[in-house]
Structure formats: structure tokens, C-alpha cells
């Protein structure tokens, strides 16, 4: 079996890379950060970027062509989300992508949709609520990994589906019950809701979709963005190590720096491999592994990139700090890795 990217997949990624270079380069990224930091700044995400992504088919990528989509699959979506993660594109990319065909305007980028995953007792965080038009609300604990009462995994899937519901609520209805939460990442504004708050939200409809699969696909796409960030950290560290000189030679010639960069590359490639496996198989255990490895790669690569940059890496002008802050968001939002670790341990042992 050939796991190399096809020419069409490379062209797809190249087209998005060109779009982001033209519409969301470093200047646009820093402008978005400054606007988010300023009191009364513009909403995140910028609507012009959102519509541009919609026009390219980013959000409607997996919709059937008959419904106005591109008709591709989760592997292609993972490739694009990896590219977007490397560019730190702000906004609820995953939720809007998953809402295509469900929430009017999501596929074309006219609507911004965010996600409220109310798993466990709470409290629960939701990102980009102020900029959102609608909210996908997932309630229940199903993951698609239950044992069922027989040996058929479809039985476990059915049990998990019964434990999860997906509804759509207007963002204004959710905002009435949410409290702003100061975010470590200026490009990821957060709100907090308790279980009691969620129970009072008036929903506008139920999503006719496989709820557990939706949660699993969300995990793959979020992991893809973190893999993109991890890869970006490798490239930034290597470029800096080549250009920065100390004692009359590039710092990349020093063994300690070489080791840091090599370890970053290994982490990024391992996470990328796990991500592609999860995107192809849609297996719950592959997805858990991909999420764990992506989280580790994003967090540790950002830290090691900071080490390569030295003192200037701590400054506001350096972009390393933006990747570090983005890598912390999963833990800030309560997306702990313990559940994935326990699930994989039970499966392996």
C-alpha cells in the first residue's frame, strides 16, 4: 500500500498554502493578535479570512458534490487543517467544518460555528463564542470504545451513539449563560459554562448525524492543527539555528542545538504519522494515540523552539510565544489526556 500523498492531495495543500500566504501571512497574524489584545478590538476570526476559506472549499471539503461540497474525505481534511495549524489561523475551524451542511452558511464561510463539548461534570469552555453565529452542542460521554455486550464493535458503537446527542443552538442563546474566561492565547477567546447553564440553553435543532463519529472527527482535526504547529516549530528552529551566529559560527553547528532540532523533528514526524493513520482508519484508538502525540509534539516542540531562540524567543515580537500559548489551550479547556491514556492502556493490556 502506498501511503505517499497523491498529486491531487499535494495540489490541495499547495492551494491552501498559497491562499494563506496571500491572505493570512505573518503581518496579518500579528495584526490579528494586536486587534485581539486591544480593548474593543475586532472579532476573531476575521470574517474576510473566513469567507476566503469558504470559497476555497475548506469548510465544505467533505460535503458531497451534489450538496455543493468538494466530496473528499477525512484524510484530505486533516492535510488542510495541518496547514492551517502551522499558520495559526484563528477561529473555530473544526466546528465550522463539521457544521457544513447542517448550519446554513457554514460551508461557504458566511457563518461561524463553534463547538461546546459538554463531556463530564464541567464546567465547560467554549471558544470564539462572541464571534460565532451558532454553536454545536455535544452532550454525553460516548466515545465509540465501549465493550458492548458482544464481540461486534458495531454494538459498542451503537451503545455509544445512544449516549451522545448533538444539537444546534444560536450563539446568542449560549452567550446569555456564559461567563468570559481570560485566555492564555489572544487568538482563542474563551467562555465558561456550568452543567446547569448548559441545561438552560434553548436549542434550535438536533443534528441528524452520527454523534460519536462527529466527536472523533473533531479530535482528528484538532490534532491536525497541533501537528501543523509542531512542524512549524521545527522549521522555525532550524532556520534560526542556521542564521544565528555565536563565537563566529552558526549555533546549529553546536551539538546541543542539533539534538534539540533532531528531537523536535522526530516528535513532529511521529505525531504526523499517527494523525494520518487516524484520518484514514477513523479508529477510536488510533484517534486517541494521534491526539496524545499531537499534544506532546505541539507543546514540547514549542518549548524546544523557544530554547533554540534563546532570550529573543521570550519577546513579544517573536512568534514562538504564540505557538506556545496555542499549544496550552487543550489543557486550559479541560481536554485532559488522561482519558485517552487510560483507553489506550486498557486496549493494549
Amino acid at each position: 500500500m502506498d501511503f505517499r500523498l497523491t498529486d491531487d492531495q499535494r495540489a490541495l495543500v499547495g492551494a491552501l498554502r498559497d491562499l494563506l500566504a496571500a491572505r493570512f501571512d505573518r503581518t496579518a497574524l500579528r495584526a490579528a493578535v494586536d486587534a485581539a489584545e486591544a480593548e474593543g478590538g475586532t472579532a476573531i476570526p476575521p470574517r474576510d479570512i473566513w469567507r476566503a476559506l469558504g470559497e476555497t472549499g475548506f469548510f465544505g471539503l467533505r460535503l458531497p458534490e451534489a450538496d455543493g461540497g468538494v466530496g473528499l474525505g477525512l484524510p484530505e481534511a486533516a492535510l488542510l487543517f495541518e496547514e492551517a495549524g502551522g499558520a495559526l489561523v484563528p477561529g473555530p475551524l473544526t466546528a465550522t467544518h463539521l457544521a457544513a451542511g447542517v448550519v446554513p452558511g457554514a460551508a461557504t464561510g458566511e457563518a461561524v460555528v463553534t463547538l461546546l463539548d459538554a463531556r463530564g461534570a464541567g464546567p465547560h469552555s467554549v471558544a470564539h463564542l462572541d464571534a460565532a453565529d451558532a454553536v454545536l452542542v455535544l452532550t454525553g460521554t460516548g466515545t465509540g470504545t465501549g465493550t458492548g455486550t458482544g464481540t461486534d464493535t458495531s454494538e459498542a458503537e451503537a451503545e455509544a451513539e445512544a449516549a451522545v446527542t448533538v444539537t444546534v443552538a444560536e450563539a446568542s442563546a449560549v452567550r446569555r449563560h456564559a461567563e468570559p474566561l481570560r485566555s492564555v492565547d489572544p487568538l482563542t477567546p474563551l467562555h465558561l459554562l456550568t452543567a446547569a447553564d448548559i441545561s438552560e440553553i434553548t436549542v434550535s435543532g438536533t443534528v441528524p448525524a452520527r454523534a460519536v463519529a462527529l466527536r472523533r472527527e473533531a479530535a482528528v482535526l484538532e490534532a491536525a492543527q497541533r501537528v501543523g504547529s509542531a512542524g512549524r516549530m521545527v522549521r522555525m528552529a532550524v532556520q534560526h539555528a542556521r542564521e544565528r551566529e555565536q563565537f563566529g559560527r552558526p549555533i546549529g553547528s553546536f551539538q546541543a542545538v542539533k539534538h534539540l532540532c533532531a528531537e523536535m523533528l522526530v516528535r513532529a514526524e511521529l505525531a504526523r504519522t499517527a494523525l494520518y493513520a487516524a484520518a484514514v482508519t477513523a479508529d477510536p484508538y488510533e484517534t486517541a494515540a494521534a491526539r496524545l502525540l499531537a499534544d506532546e509534539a505541539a507543546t514540547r516542540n514549542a518549548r524546544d523552539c523557544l530554547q533554540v531562540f534563546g532570550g529573543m524567543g521570550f519577546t513579544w515580537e517573536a512568534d514562538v510565544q504564540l505557538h506556545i500559548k496555542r499549544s496550552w489551550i487543550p489543557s486550559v479547556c479541560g481536554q485532559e489526556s488522561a482519558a485517552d491514556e487510560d483507553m489506550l492502556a486498557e486496549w493494549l493490556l
Side-chain angles (χ1 to χ4, degrees), residues 44-55:
I44 299 295
R47 289 282 177 154
D48 58 332
I49 301 299
W50 216 247
R51 285 189 289 269
L53 289 172
E55 290 169 1

Side-chain angles (χ1 to χ4, degrees), residues 222-233:
E222 289 295 315
Q225 293 177 72
R226 291 193 275 279
V227 169
S229 177
R232 177 63 177 160
M233 289 293 89

